[in-house]
Amino acid sequence: MTDLSTRKRWLALYVLCLADLMIVLDSTIVNVALPSIRTDLGFSESSLAWVVNAYLLTFGGFLLLAGRLGDLYGQKRVFLFGIAEFTIASLLCGLASSQTFLIVARAVQGFGGAVVSAIALSLILILFTEPAERAKAMGMIGFVLSGGGAAGVLLGGTLTEFLSWHWIFLVNVPVGIAALLSCRALLPADAETRRGSLDVAGAVTITASLMLAVYAIVNGHQQGWTSAQTVGMLGAAVLLLAAFLFIESRAKAPLMPLGLWKVRNMASANATGMLLAAAMFAWFFLSALYLQRVLGYSALQVGLAFLPATIIWGLASLLLSDKLVMRFGIKPPLLAGLGFYLLALLLFARAPVDASYVVDILPGTIALGIGGGITFNPILLAAMSGVQPSEAGLASGVVNTSFMMGGALGLAVLASAAAARTASLVGSGEGPLAALNGGYHLAFMIGAAFAVLAAVVAATLIRSEASVPVHGAEPLAAVEAE
């Protein structure tokens, strides 16, 4: 390629990262502003959860369908639609003056987020076909997908404290417009040929299954894990999933060709990603609660406490991750990164009630930053390896669904375990802060177990080689010799 086309591809990647960053930030930036939203719009404790759940329902439910729509109707076309839809929905959220309006706008926003997230990875595969460039590009998007969550805490605290909660949504509008115009100019045109019609029955069953599962999981702690509602919804989700698999096995043009799961690295990497997401959500969610509820940090102080992790994460992702993959292959960096995740969780599992930031908090944030910075690149490469160009969007949707479902499941388990442990300690006579901290300690240990399981799956099931054929390009050759 010419120097001009090379510059254009990297500019396109930066804009893709910007668009994806909007989506990732939204997962944490809203949480910081929830108390202000509750006070301003008069939400009750239970109804406030819908500000988050409405987004999660449509985001998690439409990831697979959004990815397949990109494969069928053009990655660029569908991606631009997703950015526009998310930007308009963000404007509506920022202008909301009632509970119902905000909740509906959040649901619409979640659909746009699903489209952008599901297609971003497949666009990177189209833009970058040379192994070293692709590894570097994956390192950048990996940083955005993971480190952006930590940045959201800092940005959310700043906007809420110095402006108002409306600005956590309104800030997306100029960013979204800039991303839309830039992507339209920089992304390659879609191929003229289309690859079949949409499998409507498959789309309906898998979307309904995912939405029911997400709803049951995010409300499981409040409703009770053995309640009729939770058990019934999870059961219905499983039945719909079974119906989806039956439909796909017989459809002429399936939404998800089941042969995709015969690609060993893809299946293994997605299983690893689910466990990794559970561990990662454990750290971010629980450490923020620990800093606020046990140590008394403000929202802005929590963001500043996470800043070292964010900086290290970014440096490792951008400057180190791709070099490690090209030098050692997929497995060693992935396993090393999971080891740092494990260390971070274990360090927080011993943090005391009167913790010193430098002694008790900073080491864990540094370990998390290193682990996150070098883990996501190899896991994304493995998850997308061996996937045909016509299925790249779907594979990208599967990756995002795995992370989303793993994080939701892990968070539900950890929140329940922490609450149960805290109640038990209070019942045995422990003070409120000590009991609260004891609950977090148990949850951090469970998160550490998720990290260990992720390492076991990666070590035993992910193959060392990875190949990602893209639009006639040579496959990504074996990046590690056995």
Side-chain angles (χ1 to χ4, degrees):
M1 291 188 176
T2 65
D3 290 340
L4 179 61
S5 64
T6 297
R7 287 196 297 270
K8 188 174 181 179
R9 286 186 295 116
W10 285 104
L11 284 173
L13 175 65
Y14 301 148
V15 177
L16 279 176
C17 288
L18 179 64
D20 229 3
L21 181 62
M22 284 197 308
I23 313 303
V24 178
L25 286 174
D26 200 82
S27 64
T28 53
I29 197 172
V30 174
N31 292 332
V32 178
L34 285 177
S36 297
I37 293 174
R38 178 185 178 183
T39 301
D40 191 22
L41 298 184
F43 278 98
S44 65
E45 189 72 33
S46 58
S47 63
L48 182 65
W50 277 102
V51 176
V52 175
N53 292 351
Y55 180 88
L56 291 178
L57 275 175
T58 52
F59 182 88
F62 284 98
L63 278 170
L64 284 180
L65 177 58
R68 194 53 170 164
L69 288 174
D71 290 333
L72 294 176
Y73 303 113
Q75 308 286 359
K76 179 179 180 179
R77 179 183 291 109
V78 178
F79 188 75
L80 292 177
F81 166 80
I83 296 177
E85 200 264 14
F86 185 87
T87 303
I88 293 171
S90 295
L91 175 62
L92 295 176
C93 289
L95 297 176
S97 57
S98 70
Q99 298 179 17
T100 302
F101 191 94
L102 178 59
I103 289 171
V104 172
R106 285 285 286 163
V108 176
Q109 191 186 35
F111 177 71
V115 173
V116 174
S117 297
I119 297 178
L121 286 181
S122 58
L123 284 169
I124 289 176
L125 298 184
I126 294 171
L127 288 168
F128 299 95
T129 58
E130 194 274 323
E133 286 191 338
R134 183 176 297 165
K136 187 174 183 64
M138 284 292 192
M140 293 184 66
I141 203 70
F143 164 61
V144 171
L145 290 173
S146 46
V153 177
L154 178 59
L155 182 60
T158 303
L159 291 174
T160 303
E161 188 162 324
F162 293 106
L163 294 173
S164 74
W165 66 265
H166 297 275
W167 283 96
I168 67 172
F169 300 112
L170 294 176
V171 73
N172 289 332
V173 176
V175 176
I177 293 173
L180 181 67
L181 296 176
S182 301
C183 285
R184 185 176 181 182
L186 295 172
L187 291 178
D190 293 320
E192 291 299 323
T193 57
R194 294 292 173 258
R195 294 178 279 273
S197 59
L198 182 64
D199 171 18
V200 176
V204 170
T205 50
I206 190 59
T207 301
S209 175
L210 288 172
M211 291 183 76
L212 281 174
V214 171
Y215 183 87
I217 292 167
V218 298
N219 287 281
H221 178 61
Q222 180 181 344
Q223 297 295 328
W225 290 105
T226 58
S227 67
Q229 175 180 303
T230 302
V231 174
M233 285 191 166
L234 289 175
V238 171
L239 289 176
L240 285 168
L241 177 60
F244 169 73
L245 295 175
F246 177 80
I247 292 169
E248 299 309 281
S249 67
R250 286 160 173 75
K252 292 182 179 180
L255 178 72
M256 176 187 286
L258 298 183
L260 192 66
W261 292 101
K262 295 179 181 178
V263 181
R264 176 171 167 177
N265 266 2
M266 177 190 166
S268 304
N270 276 283
T272 304
M274 288 188 70
L275 293 166
L276 169 61
M280 184 179 73
F281 274 58
W283 192 90
F284 277 118
F285 182 77
L286 293 169
S287 60
L289 286 178
Y290 165 74
L291 292 174
Q292 287 181 308
R293 300 184 66 185
V294 176
L295 300 186
Y297 283 28
S298 67
L300 184 58
Q301 287 175 319
V302 171
L304 293 172
F306 284 164
L307 192 59
T310 307
I311 294 173
I312 294 171
W313 202 317
L315 292 175
S317 295
L318 301 178
L319 304 177
L320 181 62
S321 180
D322 61 313
K323 295 179 176 61
L324 290 175
V325 169
M326 297 308 298
R327 174 67 179 84
F328 299 105
I330 286 176
K331 272 193 180 180
L334 176 55
L335 295 176
L338 289 170
F340 278 106
Y341 268 106
L342 175 62
L343 176 61
L345 287 159
L346 292 177
L347 287 172
F348 267 78
R350 54 153 296 279
V353 172
D354 56 348
S356 160
Y357 177 77
V358 174
V359 175
D360 301 302
I361 309 302
L362 184 60
T365 64
I366 292 174
L368 192 282
I370 297 172
I374 65 178
T375 300
F376 273 76
N377 190 353
I379 203 170
L380 290 175
L381 284 170
M384 299 297 287
S385 67
V387 176
Q388 297 299 319
S390 61
E391 297 168 346
L394 176 60
S396 177
V398 171
V399 173
N400 282 279
T401 302
S402 297
F403 278 114
M404 193 272 175
M405 295 303 293
L409 278 168
L411 195 54
V413 171
L414 295 164
S416 296
R421 177 61 174 164
T422 296
S424 175
L425 290 174
V426 168
S428 63
E430 289 279 358
L433 284 182
L436 194 61
N437 201 34
Y440 293 148
H441 282 178
L442 175 61
F444 282 126
M445 290 300 296
I446 297 174
F450 283 134
V452 171
L453 287 174
V456 171
V457 171
T460 56
L461 297 180
I462 293 180
R463 288 175 176 167
S464 298
E465 71 277 3
S467 59
V468 188
V470 178
H471 296 283
E474 292 296 322
L476 181 60
V479 292
E480 176 188 324
E482 288 283 8

